[in-house]
Amino acid sequence: MKKPVVDYRTFRLRKINEPQFSHLKLLLGWVGYFILYFLTENLIPAENCHPVHMWLDDMIPFCEWFLLPYVFWYALIVFSLGYFLLYNVDSFKRLQTYIIITQILAMVCYILYPTRQDLRPAEFANDNFLTRCVGFLYAFDTNTGVCPSLHVAYSLGIASVWTKEKASHPVWRAFVVFSVIMICLSTMFIKQHSAVDLFAAIPVCLIAEGFVYRDRYFRKK
């Protein structure tokens, strides 16, 4: 079994600024995000949001089975951050920084140009466990603040960091890439996002990618 690169058993809050633990401060980005998420969800009414839609949305049917990769996203985030936290602090810093950048850029978009999507089915053709879970998801996560999609942005960030993690097994890296593709598709097939939201996440990710890996892409020859 691999040995963690940092012994977090010795961590105390007073040690947060010490070199071996200072990277943990990046987790505060989640606190800021959830505060802004709560504010934008509750202070920007749906009627003030601009609907997003494109022709591709009308060609994509609702499919409750895509709920599985959609919710797998949560586990993939936690596992990836946890793994890098234990075994590769540099990759943890890169992934968490990537996430923070996409969060900031997305929140700026949500505030300056609030959006919503009106693609959710009024009723489900099938009544089963998955459709009931989708209904719960709809109630929990509103149809506002959708463009760009953070579901897509985080996923592409995770794929980016894992594909550069040469210590990981190639089969695992391939699984991550496949999972990310399915997650991105799932946002449209369970009608949580428009295809516009997916495409809008790409330039956001390119900005984050350029910043996080600038030492690789802009290395002097």
Side-chain angles (χ1 to χ4, degrees):
M1 186 174 180
K2 294 178 65 175
K3 182 179 179 181
V5 295
V6 177
D7 186 0
Y8 293 103
R9 295 173 299 179
T10 65
F11 173 72
R12 301 294 182 274
L13 192 58
R14 65 178 181 274
K15 296 182 178 181
I16 192 67
N17 291 317
E18 294 182 6
Q20 69 268 36
F21 299 122
S22 61
H23 58 279
L24 293 174
K25 290 186 288 186
L26 287 170
L27 292 172
L28 292 174
W30 288 101
V31 177
Y33 165 72
F34 284 122
I35 291 174
L36 287 174
Y37 174 82
F38 177 82
L39 292 175
T40 54
E41 283 286 293
N42 290 276
L43 297 182
I44 302 177
E47 56 268 22
N48 290 349
C49 296
H50 305 271
V52 289
H53 179 268
M54 67 177 297
W55 60 268
L56 188 57
D57 298 325
D58 300 326
M59 299 180 65
I60 300 174
F62 172 85
C63 179
E64 65 266 27
W65 287 100
F66 275 91
L67 178 68
L68 300 178
Y70 187 88
V71 298
F72 178 67
W73 175 80
Y74 297 97
L76 188 60
I77 291 174
V78 173
F79 175 81
S80 298
L81 288 174
Y83 178 90
F84 294 135
L85 196 63
L86 291 174
Y87 303 117
N88 191 330
V89 172
D90 179 66
S91 291
F92 167 80
K93 291 178 180 178
R94 291 180 189 270
L95 177 55
Q96 184 56 35
T97 301
Y98 197 114
I99 289 173
I100 289 173
I101 292 172
T102 57
Q103 287 172 338
I104 291 173
L105 293 176
M107 281 298 167
V108 168
C109 293
Y110 299 163
I111 293 170
L112 296 182
Y113 190 78
T115 51
R116 75 172 193 269
Q117 56 88 359
D118 301 319
L119 303 171
R120 295 177 175 182
E123 58 183 26
F124 300 116
N126 302 315
D127 180 19
N128 54 43
F129 176 74
L130 289 177
T131 55
R132 288 192 290 271
C133 288
V134 172
F136 174 78
L137 178 65
Y138 285 174
F140 171 75
D141 191 3
T142 70
N143 64 332
T144 61
V146 292
C147 187
S149 167
L150 281 176
H151 227 81
V152 172
Y154 293 177
S155 299
L156 294 179
I158 289 171
S160 174
V161 178
W162 271 115
T163 53
K164 299 178 183 66
E165 186 71 11
K166 300 307 179 185
S168 62
H169 197 283
V171 173
W172 169 254
R173 295 199 297 271
F175 172 76
V176 170
V177 171
F178 172 76
S179 298
V180 164
I181 292 172
M182 294 302 293
I183 289 168
C184 292
L185 291 175
S186 74
T187 64
M188 298 179 291
F189 275 92
I190 66 168
K191 301 303 178 180
Q192 275 291 86
H193 284 281
S194 162
V196 176
D197 308 333
L198 184 151
F199 293 130
I202 294 175
V204 170
C205 290
L206 290 176
I207 292 172
E209 179 80 12
F211 183 87
V212 171
Y213 287 104
R214 61 190 182 281
D215 58 328
R216 296 193 182 194
Y217 295 130
F218 305 109
R219 184 183 299 156
K220 293 182 179 180
K221 302 295 184 180

